[in-house]
Amino acid sequence: TPAGDLATQILHALDKNSPLLSSAAFPTIPSPDVKGALDRLASRDMVKYETIDREEAILEPEGEQIAANGSHEARVFEALRTAVEGLTIQELEKAIGDKNVVKIGQGRAFREKWISKTQDGKFRVAKDSIKDTTQEQMQTIQSTKSYPDPKMLADLKKRKLVRTHKIISFNIHKGEKFALQIPEVATDLTADMIASGSWRSATFKGYNFKALGADQHPGALHPLNKVRSELRQIFFEMGFQEMPTDKFVESGFWNFDTLFVPQQHPARDMQDTFYVSDPKEADMPRGEDSSDTADYKTYWDNVKDVHQEGKYGSIGYRYPWSGEESRKLVLRTHTTAISANMLYKLAQQKGPDGRPPPARYFSIDRVFRNESVDATHLAEFHQVEGVIADYDLTLGGLMEFMDIFFGKMGITDLKYKCAYNPYTEPSMEIFSYHKGLGKLVEIGNSGMFRAEMLESMGLPKDMRVFGWGLSLERPTMIKYGISNIRELLGHKVDLNFMRNSPAVRLDKE
Ligand code: PHE
């Protein structure tokens, strides 16, 4: 039925009979169609309606059978009632003509104490008469499509005698503008209508102020980017310069050797680090353009000497250092490779007093580790890295700085634990109490860069450098309440979460 026809049919039915129950007046028309027609009429105030949801109960084939012939147990009782001598099981099956009815029926009849078994093994009735409640229930459901006792109905459903389904119907009343014809409605007031005066008698379609605007899906910042931009803001307001982190590939020299990670260190194993297969090797370290006059060769030799023999007060690792190993290309395992490069460049600068000026550097970018991937680890993550170079810095100064830095993220009451990094001494892991987890969690790694690392770059002895690093993922997951890293990165990410995740204020809970 086209919707227009149905709407007119409804008006005519309502004219004879108001209020009108749709399930009674239009039993064969699907309720979404009825609703469509009603909404059209209701928007013109021609009808009003309420929706009525109800469950309708319907007999299963076995239920139908019971309604017609009685329950299995009643049929067994009935067959035995007329047999004065009692019946054997075979005779009973013959009398009823359905083995299944006998099998289920005799069991139930026993439980009801309607029948008993004599010593000769025959079944006999144990009562004069019975009341077949199940049959009555089936008949009630058959005629009313419902059952007054919901618990009993659920029980009958479990016994597979009855099923229920949802029926939506509408109780329809005449509206203020009820009529038998649907008036034409105008959506626009036209010049013609004004000229002819027809606007006076026209019916205008009402505005639907409840209509929602269409969803717009412009690009959205990834939650990691939102946290990243907050952290950048913190660094900038504390006077940091951003380091260039656009090269994911580094040489072993900058990623490891300048940081005094010995060439046998497990971190340099293929199991932990991704090596580039083509090309395999970097050129000798050099500047990016001709304006860079730094003496990379001297630096290279200094690094080699510290590893091999020791220098600048260090006894070295005392192994034959390999230039080839140092030139191997790797996906950077930490952004400290860039910090080393930046500090080397700082050593070449001259401030007003002819010495390298104090500097504050930071970066937030991707690093790679050959890890087995699980709920909390990916083979790549983002590292937040900071470096402060100044004269006569102390470890106490580092701790004070951390209080201020993490305080700006709303993280307070820091705890420190001695740790080891080949490039810092002392080194400290930074912990904070996590209220949700009820324990201290590691939030970062830090330390004072080693003298032999800084002096081999040419930095003055009294220039000290703090460094620290943390992952960007950890605070992001805590902020957004995510426990599985794969909800944040990779192919399982829910795009709606990306679109709808709120902006972050790190200092606000
Ligand atoms: N590179 C360290 C890491 O990957 C972080 C760090 C940077 C530690 C600078 C000390 C100094 O965890």
Side-chain angles (χ1 to χ4, degrees):
T1 324
D5 286 351
L6 178 57
T8 313
Q9 280 173 38
I10 291 172
L11 294 175
H12 281 268
L14 196 58
D15 193 35
K16 291 188 200 102
N17 203 351
S18 177
L20 185 73
L21 195 63
S22 69
S23 56
F26 306 100
T28 58
I29 298 176
S31 59
D33 293 355
V34 178
K35 183 170 175 358
L38 286 175
D39 284 341
R40 213 172 135 229
L41 296 171
S43 71
R44 292 169 168 78
D45 291 330
M46 299 181 75
V47 305
K48 284 188 274 198
Y49 72 90
E50 302 99 50
T51 309
I52 303 164
D53 275 355
R54 66 184 167 83
E55 291 263 289
E56 193 173 80
I58 297 163
L59 295 184
E60 295 284 11
E62 196 178 328
E64 298 272 6
Q65 204 193 339
I66 292 170
N69 306 325
S71 67
H72 300 343
E73 53 276 25
R75 288 172 71 186
V76 168
F77 179 85
E78 210 43 47
L80 293 175
R81 198 169 58 85
T82 47
V84 193
E85 299 289 307
L87 294 176
T88 64
I89 185 102
Q90 289 81 9
E91 288 167 337
L92 192 54
E93 281 172 4
K94 216 170 145 207
I96 293 178
D98 187 331
K99 275 192 180 183
N100 199 40
V101 169
V102 175
K103 200 173 134 210
I104 299 170
Q106 57 96 0
R108 287 182 175 273
F110 263 115
R111 240 174 291 142
E112 299 281 350
K113 299 200 168 64
W114 292 353
I115 62 171
S116 61
K117 220 172 183 179
T118 58
Q119 272 177 343
D120 55 7
K122 287 187 174 185
F123 295 99
R124 247 183 245 273
V125 291
K127 280 189 152 185
D128 294 337
S129 67
I130 52 139
K131 187 165 163 251
D132 190 358
T133 321
T134 310
Q135 185 182 33
E136 283 171 13
Q137 289 168 335
M138 293 303 110
Q139 287 167 344
T140 306
I141 291 167
Q142 202 168 40
S143 57
T144 64
K145 301 205 165 154
S146 65
Y147 197 75
D149 179 353
K151 247 172 110 184
M152 182 58 76
L153 185 63
D155 192 47
L156 294 172
K157 273 167 82 171
K158 231 184 268 162
R159 284 169 62 189
K160 299 212 159 48
L161 300 178
V162 175
R163 78 192 126 90
T164 56
H165 68 167
K166 211 175 185 175
I167 294 275
I168 298 171
S169 62
F170 307 96
N171 194 31
I172 313 164
H173 314 261
K174 288 182 180 171
E176 268 163 47
K177 300 200 178 140
F178 177 81
L180 286 178
Q181 297 256 309
I182 304 169
E184 286 286 331
V185 289
T187 48
D188 288 309
L189 176 63
T190 63
D192 282 349
M193 289 165 92
I194 294 172
S196 70
S198 71
W199 62 271
R200 276 180 229 279
S201 55
T203 309
F204 289 93
K205 189 166 187 205
Y207 284 108
N208 179 4
F209 292 108
K210 288 185 189 150
L212 297 174
D215 251 346
Q216 302 295 319
H217 288 309
L221 281 183
H222 191 284
L224 281 173
N225 266 330
K226 293 182 186 169
V227 175
R228 178 174 183 267
S229 64
E230 281 292 305
L231 286 170
R232 283 180 91 224
Q233 235 29 68
I234 293 174
F235 277 115
F236 285 135
E237 74 188 36
M238 297 184 86
F240 283 77
Q241 256 177 284
E242 194 161 20
M243 296 189 269
T245 50
D246 48 359
K247 287 182 294 183
F248 289 175
V249 175
E250 281 288 352
S251 63
F253 182 73
W254 291 109
N255 196 81
F256 296 123
D257 292 301
T258 60
L259 295 164
F260 293 102
V261 180
Q263 295 188 331
Q264 308 75 18
H265 195 279
R268 294 178 79 146
D269 278 356
M270 293 230 273
Q271 284 85 342
D272 291 305
T273 300
F274 291 113
Y275 283 86
V276 177
S277 59
D278 185 21
K280 275 191 163 53
E281 279 197 5
D283 294 345
M284 286 294 282
R286 55 173 163 75
E288 256 132 75
D289 55 52
S290 54
S291 68
D292 190 339
T293 56
D295 185 358
Y296 287 91
K297 181 67 175 72
T298 304
Y299 180 39
W300 169 274
D301 290 338
N302 283 345
V303 168
K304 175 181 177 175
D305 290 349
V306 176
H307 278 256
Q308 209 163 263
E309 288 107 34
K311 209 172 180 178
Y312 311 109
S314 163
I315 61 166
Y317 291 119
R318 295 183 245 177
Y319 69 93
W321 185 82
S322 152
E324 199 182 308
E325 186 65 35
S326 193
R327 297 214 321 263
K328 280 188 181 164
L329 288 169
V330 300
L331 288 185
R332 67 177 179 223
T333 63
H334 52 188
T335 42
T336 317
I338 300 137
S339 299
N341 188 267
M342 292 296 287
L343 289 171
Y344 175 68
K345 286 183 176 153
L346 178 68
Q348 321 309 312
Q349 288 178 35
K350 285 191 174 51
D353 59 355
R355 311 204 309 158
R360 292 181 164 208
Y361 301 130
F362 82 96
S363 68
I364 308 174
D365 210 337
R366 199 169 284 214
V367 299
F368 305 86
R369 295 194 188 163
N370 195 356
E371 303 228 33
S372 42
V373 172
D374 64 26
T376 49
H377 294 92
L378 290 177
E380 55 197 272
F381 64 98
H382 296 79
Q383 210 164 41
V384 180
E385 170 125 355
V387 167
I388 298 180
D390 206 341
Y391 293 93
D392 302 318
L393 294 178
T394 64
L395 192 66
L398 186 153
M399 292 164 87
E400 186 198 22
F401 176 83
M402 291 303 154
D403 274 346
I404 300 168
F405 175 75
F406 282 102
K408 285 178 184 278
M409 298 202 271
I411 299 174
T412 54
D413 305 315
L414 302 182
K415 298 267 183 288
Y416 298 91
K417 188 172 129 186
C418 293
Y420 173 77
N421 295 309
Y423 36 93
T424 52
E425 183 60 35
S427 309
M428 299 186 302
E429 281 167 358
I430 308 168
F431 287 76
S432 147
Y433 185 77
H434 188 285
K435 286 193 208 94
L437 297 173
K439 62 173 185 187
L440 287 169
V441 293
E442 193 196 327
I443 52 171
N445 178 13
S446 69
M448 309 269 298
F449 284 112
R450 296 185 78 101
E452 59 266 56
M453 170 186 156
L454 303 177
E455 283 181 46
S456 56
M457 294 171 167
L459 284 170
K461 259 185 185 313
D462 52 350
M463 179 165 253
R464 305 277 153 76
V465 185
F466 303 153
W468 71 100
L470 53 139
S471 90
L472 179 62
E473 279 75 0
R474 164 113 357 131
T476 305
M477 287 170 76
I478 293 173
K479 272 288 153 192
Y480 287 96
I482 299 171
S483 56
N484 190 331
I485 186 85
R486 280 168 280 196
E487 288 171 33
L488 194 60
L489 279 176
H491 65 286
K492 288 193 178 156
V493 163
D494 176 0
L495 288 183
N496 283 322
F497 165 65
M498 294 293 135
R499 279 179 188 136
N500 302 330
S501 59
V504 265
R505 285 288 308 276
L506 290 172
D507 56 338
K508 298 273 181 301
E509 269 310 302

